[in-house]
C-alpha cells in the first residue's frame, strides 16, 4: 500500500477535526470544514472523482452559512436540535437520488470520471446531509451514514486508503453524533450549550 500524500494527510487531518467537532456541537466545525474542503477539492480532482471535487465547493459555501446559523443564538447557546417533517425528508431522498442518476449520467457520458454513479450518490446524499446539519436536524446523521457507507469502498478503490479508513471512522462518528443529538433532542433544556473556543 502506498503512503498517503501530504495533501491527503492534510485534507483528512483537518476534516476529521471538523467532523468530530460537529458531533460535539463545537462552532469551529465550520471554519475547519472550509479549509478541509479546499484541500479535498484538489485531492479529488487529481483522482478523477469530479463529483466529490464539486461537492467540496458546496461544502465551502454552506460552511459559511452554517457558521452564521449556529451563531444566531446568544453567546452561550446554539439553535436546538429538531426533526425534519416526513414529507420534507421524502423530498430530500428523492432529490439525492435524482442527483445520483442525472449527474452520474453527465459524468459517464462527458468525462473520464471514475465510478460516476457512486461518486454522484456521494454528492447527492452529502448535499442533503449538509443542509440538515446546517439546520441542526437530527436526520443529518442518517444521511451521513449513507455517505460514509458509499465513500469507504469508493476511496479505497482509488488508492486513497487513508481517506477510506477515516471515512470508516466517520461512519462510527455519525452513529455517535446521532445518539448525542438524539439525547439533546429529548432534553431540549440542555441541548443548546455551545462549546466555543
Amino acid at each position: 500500500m502506498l503512503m498517503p500524500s501530504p495533501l491527503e494527510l492534510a485534507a483528512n487531518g483537518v476534516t476529521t477535526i471538523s467532523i468530530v467537532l460537529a458531533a460535539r456541537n463545537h462552532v469551529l466545525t465550520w471554519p475547519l470544514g472550509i479549509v478541509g474542503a479546499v484541500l479535498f477539492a484538489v485531492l479529488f480532482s487529481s483522482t478523477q472523482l469530479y463529483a466529490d471535487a464539486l461537492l467540496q465547493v458546496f461544502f465551502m459555501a454552506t460552511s459559511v452559512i452554517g457558521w452564521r446559523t449556529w451563531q444566531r443564538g446568544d453567546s452561550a447557546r446554539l439553535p436546538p436540535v429538531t426533526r425534519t417533517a416526513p414529507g420534507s425528508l421524502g423530498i430530500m431522498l428523492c432529490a439525492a437520488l435524482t442527483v445520483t442518476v442525472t449527474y452520474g449520467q453527465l459524468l459517464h457520458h462527458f468525462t473520464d470520471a471514475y465510478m460516476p454513479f457512486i461518486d454522484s450518490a456521494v454528492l447527492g446524499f452529502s448535499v442533503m446531509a449538509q443542509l440538515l446539519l446546517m439546520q441542526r436536524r437530527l436526520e443529518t446523521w442518517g444521511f451521513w451514514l449513507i455517505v460514509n457507507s458509499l465513500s469507504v469502498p469508493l476511496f479505497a478503490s482509488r488508492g486513497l486508503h487513508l481517506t477510506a479508513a477515516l471515512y470508516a471512522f466517520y461512519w462510527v462518528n455519525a452513529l455517535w453524533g446521532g445518539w448525542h443529538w438524539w439525547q439533546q433532542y429529548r432534553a431540549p433544556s440542555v441541548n443548546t450549550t455551545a462549546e466555543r473556543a
Side-chain angles (χ1 to χ4, degrees):
M1 181 171 72
L2 294 174
M3 290 296 297
S5 68
L7 176 60
E8 186 180 4
L9 286 168
N12 278 288
V14 172
T15 302
T16 298
I17 294 168
S18 172
I19 288 171
V20 170
L21 290 176
R24 295 177 57 86
N25 294 313
H26 200 297
V27 72
L28 288 180
T29 186
W30 299 109
L32 289 174
I34 293 168
V35 174
V38 170
L39 297 172
F40 267 123
V42 176
L43 178 66
F44 291 143
S45 292
S46 71
T47 56
Q48 297 171 289
L49 296 173
Y50 303 128
D52 274 300
L54 178 63
L55 177 61
Q56 303 311 308
V57 176
F58 172 79
F59 282 157
M60 291 175 220
T62 56
S63 289
V64 172
I65 298 167
W67 195 355
R68 292 183 62 197
T69 300
W70 280 33
Q71 291 182 321
R72 282 189 185 152
D74 62 39
S75 62
R77 297 175 70 78
L78 292 174
V81 173
T82 58
R83 298 294 303 268
T84 306
S88 296
L89 198 56
I91 290 169
M92 295 182 89
L93 285 168
C94 288
L97 292 172
T98 300
V99 168
T100 298
V101 173
T102 305
Y103 197 62
Q105 286 284 351
L106 289 172
L107 291 177
H108 176 70
H109 289 294
F110 298 110
T111 74
D112 61 346
Y114 179 77
M115 298 186 79
F117 292 99
I118 300 297
D119 196 20
S120 295
V122 171
L123 168 68
F125 282 92
S126 294
V127 166
M128 299 306 143
Q130 184 78 348
L131 292 174
L132 291 166
L133 179 65
M134 291 164 54
Q135 300 171 49
R136 289 179 50 82
R137 297 295 176 94
L138 185 60
E139 293 79 10
T140 186
W141 300 107
F143 277 82
W144 287 124
L145 286 170
I146 293 169
V147 168
N148 297 332
S149 297
L150 294 169
S151 297
V152 171
L154 176 66
F155 297 149
S157 70
R158 288 310 280 164
L160 300 173
H161 299 292
L162 174 63
T163 304
L166 286 171
Y167 269 75
F169 165 74
Y170 300 160
W171 194 92
V172 174
N173 187 68
L175 285 178
W176 185 86
W179 176 84
H180 184 61
W181 281 31
W182 174 252
Q183 298 301 314
Q184 293 179 42
Y185 175 75
R186 302 258 316 197
S189 62
V190 297
N191 82 350
T192 56
T193 302
E195 298 177 35
R196 298 179 188 271

